[in-house]
Amino acid sequence: MERGGRAALGLLALGALLGLCALPPPAPGPQRGEPRQGGQKTFRALLAVGREQQQEQEQQQEEQEAAGRAAPVRRGIFWSRELEARVPRGFAAEEAAAWPAAARAARVSSLERGGCGRSSNRLARLSDGSRACVRYGVSPEQIQGEALSYHLAGVLGMQQRLPPMALALVEPRGRQWEPVREELRGSLWAEGAVVSLTRWVDNLTAVVAPAPWGSEAGGGRRPRALSAAELGGLPAAQLVELVQWSDLILFDYLTANFDRLASNLFSLQWDPRVMRRATSNLLRGPDGGLVFMDNEAGLVHGYRLLAVWDPYHEPLLRSVCVFREGTARRVAELHRRRSAAAELRRRYRAREPLWAHLGFLSERQAELLQARVDFVHRHIAHCRAQAAVL
């Protein structure tokens, strides 16, 4: 903004000089002893106009800078609308809606090792020129967790942070997989297995957790709470990233996904510098936005291990007391209607033709999802009450 202001002032000065050059030539100067005409007055008037324009420009710049320093939090617990508007767009809804049909219609031209995590996964090149990570789970519940986490993100209004995903059946003699039949024989994939096809994204970079989850987490497992009071002096770029982190931590609590920040916290007990390294399964996209990758530990697998990982999930959730208002609103609706599992099931069945091959949450898992939604809702209410007395 400062460079823009200086550039504008430079153009203003250049304009004034060009204006002087464009003036008609002055009349012959008066002879000695004759009174001057209005030339000096005209020059002073021009300078006065230039000063007024410069002052007006400086005032506009100050107003713009003041707007940029607007309070980052509104109503005590919600990120400002200005900050939310600056969050990178991520994966557009139209892009996510178009991917499943395109991925299933394309033929798999080749399968390559590397670039997609676990050794059993493959990077697929598709006949339409696109690429996809094909994830073959150690057990079907991992692919189920990947798919359900993806659609829960849609229920919560966070799906733009996850790469588009669809399920597919491995059928070596089918049209889609026939070109890579020989590669499939060497992959040890079971015929008829369900895999996920996640759209490949170029130019992703690693992400290190910021304070209070990064280096300031210390040697224990409890990160310092992020509150509205300490945010005013932070640069806008850091605040925009924190908006996305608040969604990530809430999302990982609801899905009980331990294979991201929680696993890093767990590792602190023997690696005090782990929080200063890249966060697992979290990358930065070309637009600067966070990308929530590899969510197969969510919901199904994560819910089986709550006793192990909730001592890390809960402190992470309690470290956040500022939220996207839309996220908080959706949590409140799911809490009021007690409809978390029902809405997830509705969305999953409507958008994923292969849902029946993996099934849905068990009754106990559905209860756990609702209980975690209720816990998040109570936490948001607690943050609101705290903000009201500050």
Side-chain angles (χ1 to χ4, degrees):
M1 186 175 296
E2 183 178 352
R3 290 196 298 271
R6 289 176 179 172
L9 292 176
L11 291 172
L12 179 62
L14 179 60
L17 289 173
L18 292 173
L20 284 172
C21 294
L23 290 173
Q31 300 297 317
R32 186 178 181 85
E34 293 181 353
R36 289 185 176 274
Q37 303 300 317
Q40 185 175 3
K41 180 179 178 181
T42 302
F43 182 68
R44 287 178 176 172
L46 180 62
L47 289 179
V49 171
R51 281 196 299 270
E52 290 175 0
Q53 291 177 337
Q54 179 177 345
Q55 290 171 355
E56 182 179 350
Q57 179 66 32
E58 289 175 348
Q59 182 178 357
Q60 291 176 353
Q61 181 177 344
E62 289 175 359
E63 291 174 354
Q64 290 171 352
E65 289 176 351
R69 292 193 301 267
V73 178
R74 52 189 292 271
R75 295 169 56 191
I77 62 167
F78 297 132
W79 296 109
S80 71
R81 293 189 177 97
E82 293 78 11
L83 273 180
E84 288 207 37
R86 295 184 62 171
V87 172
R89 180 185 181 193
F91 302 97
E94 300 80 10
E95 186 179 1
W99 172 253
R104 294 189 188 99
R107 306 183 79 185
V108 180
S109 301
S110 67
L111 292 173
E112 303 170 12
R113 293 177 180 270
C116 291
R118 187 185 301 109
S119 61
S120 61
N121 300 337
R122 295 291 186 272
L123 173 61
R125 296 183 181 272
L126 305 182
S127 57
D128 63 0
S130 63
R131 289 180 290 172
C133 275
V134 186
R135 303 192 186 282
Y136 181 90
V138 174
S139 68
E141 73 174 19
Q142 291 178 313
I143 303 304
Q144 183 187 25
E146 179 86 25
L148 289 174
S149 294
Y150 178 73
H151 289 289
L152 180 62
V155 172
L156 295 168
M158 301 180 190
Q159 201 169 61
Q160 70 275 12
R161 304 262 65 91
L162 284 69
M165 189 221 70
L167 298 179
L169 282 175
V170 177
E171 298 176 312
R173 287 178 287 275
R175 174 186 173 277
Q176 183 172 32
W177 300 93
E178 192 275 334
V180 292
R181 185 182 300 176
E182 293 304 316
E183 287 113 306
L184 289 176
R185 286 177 181 168
S187 70
L188 302 181
W189 291 359
E191 184 171 351
V194 179
V195 295
S196 65
L197 301 176
T198 304
R199 209 202 76 185
W200 174 266
V201 184
D202 285 310
N203 302 318
L204 295 175
T205 54
V207 177
V208 176
W213 310 290
S215 59
E216 294 186 17
R221 65 178 61 169
R222 295 186 179 275
R224 180 173 54 83
L226 173 67
S227 63
E230 63 186 299
L231 298 174
L234 297 180
Q238 187 173 347
L239 291 169
V240 168
E241 182 151 326
L242 290 176
V243 174
Q244 300 168 79
W245 273 87
S246 67
D247 262 1
L248 173 68
I249 288 176
L250 188 149
F251 179 61
D252 281 355
Y253 177 81
L254 290 175
T255 62
N257 186 349
F258 55 85
D259 198 13
R260 200 157 13 233
L261 198 58
S263 63
N264 283 21
L265 284 180
F266 176 77
S267 299
L268 275 173
Q269 56 191 308
W270 56 75
D271 184 358
R273 300 179 64 85
V274 68
M275 300 304 292
R276 301 180 185 180
R277 302 193 186 97
T279 303
S280 301
N281 297 323
L282 181 68
L283 296 169
R284 192 182 310 282
D287 63 356
L290 298 185
V291 181
F292 305 173
M293 300 290 292
D294 301 354
N295 297 286
E296 60 188 23
L299 291 168
V300 187
H301 192 45
Y303 281 8
R304 285 200 295 105
L305 300 173
L306 288 181
V308 175
W309 291 106
D310 260 358
Y312 302 91
H313 287 306
E314 288 190 14
L316 281 169
L317 178 65
R318 295 184 192 278
S319 73
V320 178
C321 251
V322 186
F323 312 89
R324 284 180 56 234
E325 187 171 8
T327 301
R329 186 185 307 116
R330 286 179 173 87
V331 167
E333 291 170 356
L334 296 175
H335 165 76
R336 179 174 57 83
R337 298 173 181 170
R338 303 200 60 75
S339 61
E343 293 196 27
L344 174 57
R345 181 190 296 109
R346 187 180 305 115
R347 184 183 182 93
Y348 183 42
R349 294 177 65 168
R351 297 172 186 246
E352 181 46 70
L354 297 180
W355 73 269
H357 288 262
L358 294 175
F360 187 63
L361 299 175
S362 68
E363 183 177 348
R364 175 56 181 158
Q365 290 164 345
E367 291 172 353
L368 286 171
L369 173 59
Q370 186 62 53
R372 294 178 88 77
V373 166
D374 297 341
F375 188 88
V376 171
H377 178 72
R378 290 195 300 271
H379 173 63
I380 295 173
H382 173 73
C383 292
R384 182 183 287 109
Q386 279 189 319
V389 300
L390 294 179

